[in-house]
Amino acid sequence: MVYAQAAETGWTAAQTAIVIVAVIAILGGVVSASITYTLNQRAARRERQAKAFAEALNAVEDYAEMPYRIRRRRDTPEARYDLTDEVSKIQSRLAYHQALLQIEASEVAASYVALVRATKIQAGGQMQQAWQQPLLTTDAEMNLQVRYPRDQIDAARGACIETMRAALRRHRTRHAPTLPTANSDRPKVAPLGDNQR
């Protein structure tokens, strides 16, 4: 009876099928666009976090490098001013990254604070010693023959990187070992001349 009435009004089953297919296509497009948008936003957030993490680690490395820069300083008031100014700028960057991580990735903030603390203790003491060393006057002296230890910095850095990876891994499950920096403490067995900086 209903089919007969639909046929009388000119509406056919084929037309109904066309409308249903069109509605399904529209809904499919909306769902697909929504999923694509969500995945793109997630990828952009992950990329933004990874960049913030890398910049935060870079500020730590700049601070850890300062004992070498101080040790190799020129004997001018300007050089001393430039170095102390650079330390102040790095301190400011460290504070900035601590605050940024507390806002953007609170699960990483505590391990980054621990890394900054370890770096300030170890590299800060090394900076103090470097200021007290005699000035280098020859090219040969620029090769310091010793590296400043980084065991505390490296341990805190490894823990911080693992926390950062865990924060990024929420969306991706790839895992890789933590690699040392070029200035990291090396294993106890090292080739001859490897202890030079």
Side-chain angles (χ1 to χ4, degrees):
M1 174 96 170
V2 173
Y3 181 73
Q5 288 175 346
E8 288 175 13
T9 60
W11 190 259
T12 65
Q15 291 172 324
T16 303
I18 291 171
V19 169
I20 290 173
V21 168
V23 168
I24 290 173
I26 290 170
L27 288 176
V30 168
V31 169
S32 176
S34 176
I35 290 171
T36 301
Y37 176 78
T38 301
L39 292 176
N40 285 342
Q41 289 299 312
R42 187 178 292 173
R45 177 174 166 72
R46 186 179 187 284
E47 184 176 336
R48 190 173 59 247
Q49 271 192 334
K51 184 176 179 182
F53 294 166
E55 289 173 356
L57 292 172
N58 179 261
V60 169
E61 290 302 320
D62 286 347
Y63 192 89
E65 184 67 18
M66 286 308 296
Y68 295 102
R69 294 190 59 201
I70 292 169
R71 190 70 183 91
R72 293 176 174 130
R73 70 192 180 275
R74 292 185 314 272
D75 187 19
T76 65
E78 294 82 17
R80 287 188 292 278
Y81 172 80
D82 289 345
L83 286 169
T84 56
D85 187 50
E86 184 66 24
V87 170
S88 293
K89 288 177 182 175
I90 294 170
Q91 297 260 23
S92 178
R93 285 175 44 219
L94 291 170
Y96 165 80
H97 288 296
Q98 286 178 359
L100 180 64
L101 291 177
Q102 287 174 352
I103 294 166
E104 285 284 324
S106 58
E107 67 274 21
V108 174
S111 64
Y112 186 72
V113 167
L115 171 59
V116 169
R117 186 179 314 115
T119 304
K120 285 184 176 183
I121 290 170
Q122 192 162 31
Q126 294 165 353
M127 281 189 260
Q128 187 177 18
Q129 292 172 355
W131 282 115
Q132 296 170 359
Q133 296 295 315
L135 292 169
L136 305 176
T137 57
T138 67
D139 291 344
E141 291 175 320
M142 291 297 167
N143 184 351
L144 299 178
Q145 303 296 321
V146 294
R147 281 186 323 104
Y148 288 106
R150 286 181 50 113
D151 54 327
Q152 295 169 16
I153 297 169
D154 287 343
R157 180 180 175 271
C160 186
I161 288 174
E162 283 305 312
T163 306
M164 289 173 171
R165 281 187 180 147
L168 294 173
R169 208 176 314 151
R170 286 182 296 193
H171 308 293
R172 197 170 90 180
T173 58
R174 191 172 145 236
H175 179 71
T178 301
L179 300 174
T181 64
N183 296 325
S184 294
D185 288 337
R186 294 174 177 89
K188 296 196 186 290
V189 179
L192 289 175
D194 197 33
N195 66 342
Q196 295 183 355
R197 168 88 166 89

